Amino acid sequence: MPTYADLGTKELEALKAELEQAYAEIKARGLKLNMARGKPAKAQLDLSMPMLESGTTLKDCTAQDGTDLRNYGVLDGLPEAKTLMAAMLDDEPANVIIFGNASLNIMYDTLARIWMFGTQGEKPWSQYETIKWLCPAPGYDRHFGITEEFGIEMIPITMNDDGPDMDEIERLVADDPTIKGIWCVPTYSNPGGVTYSDEVVRRLAAMDTAANDFRIFWDNAYCVHHLYDNPQEQDHVLDISKACAEAGHPHRPIKFASTSKVTFPGAGISALASSPENVAEIKKRMGVQTIGHDKLNQMRHVYFLQDAQGIRNHMAKHAAILRPKFELVVNKLNDGLTEVNGCSWSNPRGGYFVSFNGPDGTAKRVVELAKEAGVTMTGAGATYPYKKDPHDSNIRIAPTLPPLEELDAAMDVFVTCVKLAAVEKLLADA
């Protein structure tokens, strides 16, 4: 079967007319579907409704050590909540601090604290004329938004199948003391679904950096978000804290996690883990900022999820809802785009996204066409620093929110838009 690139101009023009007719019919359907962000579906949120039935009696409002959960106090979180979140952070409870509902908030505040006060005796980052940050791309747009907000120069780093390009990273950090950190989503990365290999983790931990205060912001947001129950089909990343400690850089990593896509995104709990010295430093600054976070919500999560096994059991229910959606997306792409040159996509074993790469120079057009047809996608370029995709090719597909029937319709729209944009580009380049 010939591909689009094999067709002559007249054949492409005829195909374009055919696709425009199909596109017009799609537009006439008046669809209003949203695939812009990785939000849990209603069916997923319903899984956690029993959690709201706990913490309703006076006995429920008392921690194991007698703390009244309704009152002030416990700056760094309940011991029970630390133990629960330590299972997600792959760390010891003593190294964990519990916060509010959003790990994104913690990452912003963590960077802001170092920006204002410095870390481990080094001067505040705000006192440098320029500081820089490594940004594996395609990556998480909200990460990039934080560093851009602080005026930090972002350096795109190529993502490979086993994680960020370590040759590139090691070369950059070795001689430039203004490079202060790196964003990492190490398990089922956003959007590519990549899990860092052991070698990548060890190289990140051991590499020589010109900056003594270089920090790895280790956002392990999808560490328990497997799509398959078989352990052989699940990814697990090497613990960055242990690797850094063994390499003599114990303060380098700061790990983040939350229950945002485990229970309720708007009413979960989040946490960080780091070296005892980093934790002490953060708690010192927190003591001025807050008296403590919502302990009732922390204990609700403990009652509901209980422990690591409880988290696994709960996430298996999520997987049963999400797995058919991811399989539908990949099947639609496999079936619909074999003739379109320059297309590729991820087939992740977990996480919340499928990363799609179309022919160079078509992503913005695809997103535009889809929006006009009633399907909202993440903006083209969003997965790169400053929203500048050098190839204008990457689109993040978020299949989690729509019901299966709506997702099926949305993917038909998407495939048609990719085909039409590809033909338009070939004709424009002819």
Side-chain angles (χ1 to χ4, degrees), residues 70-337:
R70 304 168 298 173
N71 215 329
Y72 290 123
V74 195
L75 174 69
D76 54 348
L78 296 171
E80 297 94 326
K82 289 187 178 188
T83 297
L84 177 69
M85 294 306 292
M88 292 181 66
L89 288 160
D90 201 14
D91 217 308
E92 296 299 321
N95 297 331
V96 173
I97 302 176
I98 305 296
F99 292 83
N101 73 296
S103 56
L104 190 69
N105 195 167
I106 314 177
M107 288 179 257
Y108 184 101
D109 282 357
T110 301
L111 197 153
R113 278 189 287 267
I114 303 176
W115 182 266
M116 291 183 287
F117 303 111
T119 182
Q120 299 305 322
E122 300 293 329
K123 71 179 183 179
W125 290 349
S126 60
Q127 294 182 11
Y128 289 82
E129 183 175 342
T130 300
I131 70 168
K132 304 167 188 173
W133 203 270
L134 305 181
C135 300
Y140 182 26
D141 52 334
R142 292 194 182 275
H143 283 167
F144 304 153
I146 292 175
T147 34
E148 186 172 6
E149 177 77 6
F150 281 86
I152 296 170
E153 179 183 334
M154 295 184 284
I155 303 173
I157 299 295
T158 302
M159 276 291 285
N160 298 323
D161 291 340
D162 64 345
D165 185 335
M166 285 308 304
D167 290 340
E168 187 178 7
I169 290 173
E170 288 167 343
R171 176 181 61 80
L172 289 167
V173 300
D175 300 316
D176 191 344
T178 67
I179 297 178
K180 295 297 185 182
I182 182 172
W183 292 116
C184 292
V185 182
T187 309
Y188 306 131
S189 68
N190 178 352
V194 171
T195 297
Y196 291 14
S197 68
D198 291 357
E199 179 187 2
V200 165
V201 175
R202 291 192 177 101
R203 289 176 70 177
L204 281 168
M207 64 186 182
D208 293 325
T209 62
N212 293 329
D213 50 356
F214 182 89
R215 293 292 179 264
I216 298 172
F217 276 36
W218 193 255
D219 182 11
N220 210 359
Y222 307 107
C223 58
V224 295
H225 293 75
H226 313 293
L227 289 176
Y228 300 94
D229 296 334
N230 184 349
Q232 299 302 315
E233 298 181 85
Q234 298 176 353
D235 294 351
H236 298 278
V237 74
L238 194 69
D239 178 26
I240 188 67
S241 289
K242 183 177 180 181
C244 284
E246 291 173 350
H249 304 127
H251 308 318
R252 181 172 289 178
I254 304 175
K255 301 188 288 190
F256 306 92
S258 77
T259 66
S260 288
K261 294 178 177 66
V262 175
T263 56
F264 301 132
I269 57 175
S270 60
L272 69 72
S274 195
S275 68
E277 292 81 2
N278 281 348
V279 166
E281 184 177 82
I282 292 168
K283 286 170 61 176
K284 176 184 175 182
R285 302 298 178 191
M286 282 178 62
V288 179
Q289 185 182 29
T290 183
I291 301 173
H293 294 280
D294 185 345
K295 297 182 292 298
L296 287 168
N297 196 34
Q298 291 175 33
M299 192 58 81
R300 273 195 294 268
H301 280 76
V302 172
Y303 290 145
F304 180 61
L305 295 171
Q306 297 186 0
D307 53 23
Q309 186 59 51
I311 294 172
R312 284 191 288 271
N313 294 342
H314 183 66
M315 294 311 295
K317 298 175 184 177
H318 279 266
I321 296 169
L322 291 177
R323 187 165 53 248
K325 296 184 178 185
F326 277 80
E327 291 175 347
L328 183 151
V329 167
V330 172
N331 287 337
K332 286 283 186 177
L333 296 174
N334 284 334
D335 294 342
L337 295 175

